[in-house]
């Protein structure tokens, strides 16, 4: 066997081993989530309802804590809660022992994570909750552990094998903890009636923030809105379209109501036999598609795709306010 053949055989063996490990990891972790789903039909579900009620009615914040890998998961849970309308932040248990216990108020709820329930670093924060009557919710796999037995509401997850072949590295356990955190966050946002509009307040940046913007935020209005009166001539419309550079102009009646639309395609069709000036009403498309100013731009984009158009006119109470162009959505990262 040549060196190249040996290398190819080694690469193939490595690829096979990687894929076998990947499939096993996903399967084992999926079994953990399935076990979590089944457990919700029993005591875990009853405790979940209690925990959500506690967090919803506390009047304070959810203080999430954990050590090691559970601590990393706790940070993510705190972030998810905060971004979905439940005031929350992460407190590191070691820092809590050195002054950060002062961040926890009597109206707060502490959510502590420890798979074994025996993390010694949590001792001070647990003791603090017991001393000052702060509600303690635990996510653990052992009800009889120090954390599980101290908690007001222990959320005891099924003890499932780790995906790590040595059964040591937190893998399945952290996936299940993460899922439980999502369960809490989604239940709370559902109870609060948390909407896409609320969500945007906490996610103003990036593509997600762009998708949650409203038509009024991106539309061309005022001097930037291409518009001609219904009695205008085609030459006037061409000048307006050329100046505003959107490839479209609105046509409005004497009351400022949207009567029609002329696109650059309409102009080309009208000029196929040579330019002949004529009233815009003779070539405009009547009753063009329109949207309200508070429509989410991602919904407007879906309308554009479905109708295979590049612009939508924004109307409120029959009055033309602006025009939303697909180029604006592309520029903002919506499309």
């Amino acid at each position: 066997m040549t060196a190249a053949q040996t290398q190819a055989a080694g690469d193939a063996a490595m690829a096979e081993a990687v894929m076998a490990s990947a499939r096993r990891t996903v399967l084992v972790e999926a079994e953990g989530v399935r076990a979590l789903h089944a457990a919700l039909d029993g005591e875990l579900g009853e405790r979940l309802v209690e925990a959500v009620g506690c967090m919803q009615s506390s009047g304070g914040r959810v203080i999430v804590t954990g050590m090691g890998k559970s601590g990393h998961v706790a940070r993510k849970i705190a972030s998810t809660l905060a971004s979905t309308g439940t005031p929350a932040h992460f407190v590191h248990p070691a820092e809590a022992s050195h002054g950060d216990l002062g961040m926890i108020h009597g109206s707060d709820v502490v959510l502590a994570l420890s798979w074994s329930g025996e993390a010694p670093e949590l001792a001070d924060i647990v003791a603090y909750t017991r001393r000052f009557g702060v509600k303690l919710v635990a996510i653990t796999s052992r009800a009889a552990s120090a954390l599980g037995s101290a908690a007001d509401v222990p959320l005891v997850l099924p003890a499932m094998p780790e995906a790590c072949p040595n059964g040591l590295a937190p893998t399945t356990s952290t996936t299940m903890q993460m899922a439980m955190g999502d369960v809490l966050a989604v239940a709370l946002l559902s109870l609060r009636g948390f909407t896409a509009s609320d969500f945007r307040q906490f996610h103003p940046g990036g593509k997600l923030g762009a998708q949650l913007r409203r038509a009024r935020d991106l539309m061309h209005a005022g001097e930037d809105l291409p518009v001609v009166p219904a009695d205008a001539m085609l030459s006037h419309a061409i000048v307006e379209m050329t100046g505003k550079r959107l490839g479209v102009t609105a046509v409005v009646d004497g009351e400022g109501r949207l009567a029609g639309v002329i696109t650059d395609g309409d102009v080309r069709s009208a000029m196929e036999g040579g330019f002949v000036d004529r009233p815009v009403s003779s070539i405009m498309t009547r009753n063009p598609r329109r949207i309200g100013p508070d429509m989410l731009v991602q919904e407007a984009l879906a309308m554009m795709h479905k109708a295979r158009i590049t612009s939508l006119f924004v109307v409120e109470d029959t009055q033309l306010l602006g025009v939303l162009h697909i180029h604006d959505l592309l520029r903002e990262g919506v499309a």
Side-chain angles (χ1 to χ4, degrees):
M1 183 179 290
T2 66
Q5 290 173 324
T6 300
Q7 179 66 41
D11 290 345
M14 183 192 74
E16 184 178 352
V18 168
M19 292 308 301
S21 174
R23 292 189 179 95
R24 177 186 175 279
T25 298
V26 172
L27 183 61
V28 172
E29 295 198 8
E31 288 295 335
V33 175
R34 275 192 284 270
L36 178 58
H37 179 268
L40 289 172
D41 291 329
E43 185 178 352
L44 178 59
E46 297 173 5
R47 293 294 193 175
L48 170 65
V49 173
E50 190 178 348
V52 170
C54 229
M55 294 176 183
Q56 184 189 32
S57 63
S58 71
R61 304 151 301 167
V62 178
I63 310 298
V64 195
T65 188
M67 194 68 192
K69 302 299 184 292
S70 291
H72 293 302
V73 174
R75 287 182 185 274
K76 188 272 179 187
I77 293 174
S79 178
T80 300
L81 287 168
S83 71
T84 52
T86 299
H89 65 254
F90 173 80
V91 171
H92 194 287
E95 297 296 338
S97 299
H98 292 274
D100 283 1
L101 285 172
M103 295 182 177
I104 305 172
H105 301 162
S107 59
D108 295 337
V109 175
V110 171
L111 175 62
L113 282 70
S114 171
W115 191 248
S116 69
E118 300 294 349
E121 296 86 355
L122 292 176
D124 288 342
I125 200 167
V126 169
Y128 184 87
T129 65
R130 303 305 79 194
R131 180 181 177 186
F132 293 103
V134 179
K135 288 290 185 180
L136 174 63
V137 177
I139 296 180
T140 182
S141 66
R142 295 178 57 222
S145 63
L147 177 61
S149 58
D152 296 295
V153 187
L155 298 174
V156 182
L157 310 189
M160 299 295 289
E162 300 286 8
C164 165
N166 298 316
L168 298 174
T171 44
T172 308
S173 57
T174 48
T175 297
M176 293 171 69
Q177 287 177 322
M178 193 85 75
M180 198 65 207
D182 289 342
V183 165
L184 289 165
V186 173
L188 285 163
L189 79 85
S190 298
L191 289 173
R192 286 192 169 96
F194 196 77
T195 65
S197 178
D198 298 321
F199 198 79
R200 181 177 175 255
Q201 295 181 34
F202 303 116
H203 299 80
K207 185 171 183 177
L208 181 57
Q211 289 175 335
L212 293 172
R213 297 180 75 178
R214 306 285 180 176
R216 68 167 73 248
D217 299 325
L218 297 182
M219 70 182 186
H220 296 264
E223 293 297 320
D224 295 326
L225 172 63
V227 58
V228 295
D231 59 358
M233 300 300 286
L234 177 58
S235 56
H236 181 182
I238 292 173
V239 171
E240 182 72 359
M241 291 170 64
T242 302
K244 301 299 172 61
R245 299 183 179 183
L246 293 178
V248 65
T249 184
V251 180
V252 297
D253 63 17
E255 303 297 325
R257 294 173 299 201
L258 181 64
V261 58
I262 297 176
T263 67
D264 51 7
D266 295 326
V267 173
R268 286 194 297 271
S269 296
M271 296 176 62
E272 284 180 353
F275 176 74
V276 176
D277 211 0
R278 65 192 76 175
V280 293
S281 58
S282 67
I283 69 166
M284 72 181 185
T285 299
R286 299 178 185 275
N287 298 316
R289 288 178 175 82
R290 59 198 73 195
I291 59 175
D294 291 320
M295 174 178 275
L296 291 174
V297 292
Q298 60 181 342
E299 296 175 0
L301 177 63
M303 286 182 63
M304 290 182 189
H305 283 322
K306 185 175 182 180
R308 297 185 178 182
I309 57 177
T310 59
S311 299
L312 285 168
F313 288 98
V314 183
V315 175
E316 185 174 43
D317 296 330
T318 75
Q319 295 299 300
L320 175 65
L321 299 182
V323 61
L324 186 65
H325 197 280
I326 195 168
H327 289 167
D328 303 311
L329 306 186
L330 290 168
R331 184 173 57 251
E332 294 296 322
V334 178

